[in-house]
Amino acid sequence: MRPKLLPLSETMHLIMLALRKPLHGYAIMQVVSQMSDGQVNIAAGTLYGALDNLKKHNYIELISDPGERKKVYQVTALGKEILELENKRLNKFISLYESGDGSNE
């Protein structure tokens, strides 16, 4: 059975890649923008909706203390497995581009 949320949306993918290191919400938005060369800018509502969904599926976890003002998240072991699955899937696409396989020529 395929894990939930796969394939990851571009936004979720970038959020999870950013969370390989612990970050709070605003820092996640900055890192995602940097990683995408400014092509992906996540609004706060979109970010927190995605974080809630990723947390619900145990792909990320909240690691800050409940009393802290800023919530800090990081990817879980399961999240790392999901990123590896996505890496393999996307590399397959890249190999198709590079080899020309799958064309109708």
Side-chain angles (χ1 to χ4, degrees):
M1 183 174 153
R2 189 170 85 178
K4 300 281 185 189
L5 304 180
L6 290 185
L8 292 173
S9 69
E10 180 180 40
T11 300
M12 285 189 174
H13 204 139
L14 289 167
I15 290 169
M16 287 183 63
L17 287 171
L19 289 176
R20 291 179 292 182
K21 294 182 180 175
L23 295 171
H24 59 81
Y26 183 69
I28 296 168
M29 291 189 293
Q30 290 178 310
V31 170
V32 166
S33 182
Q34 290 169 354
M35 285 189 313
S36 67
D37 295 326
Q39 293 184 32
V40 177
N41 293 300
I42 304 171
T46 301
L47 173 67
Y48 289 103
L51 290 173
D52 285 343
N53 207 7
L54 291 167
K55 201 169 92 174
K56 179 175 84 174
H57 289 91
N58 199 32
Y59 295 174
I60 65 168
E61 62 187 343
L62 181 64
I63 61 167
S64 57
D65 292 328
E68 288 187 40
R69 187 170 158 259
K70 292 183 179 180
K71 293 182 179 180
V72 177
Y73 301 88
Q74 75 177 15
V75 73
T76 62
L78 176 59
K80 289 176 184 176
E81 290 176 27
I82 295 299
L83 285 172
E84 185 58 34
L85 288 171
E86 283 291 85
N87 184 21
K88 289 177 183 175
R89 183 182 71 83
L90 293 171
N91 276 320
K92 174 66 176 172
F93 280 109
I94 291 168
S95 71
L96 292 171
Y97 274 105
E98 291 171 346
S99 70
D101 288 352
S103 67
N104 292 329
E105 297 176 14

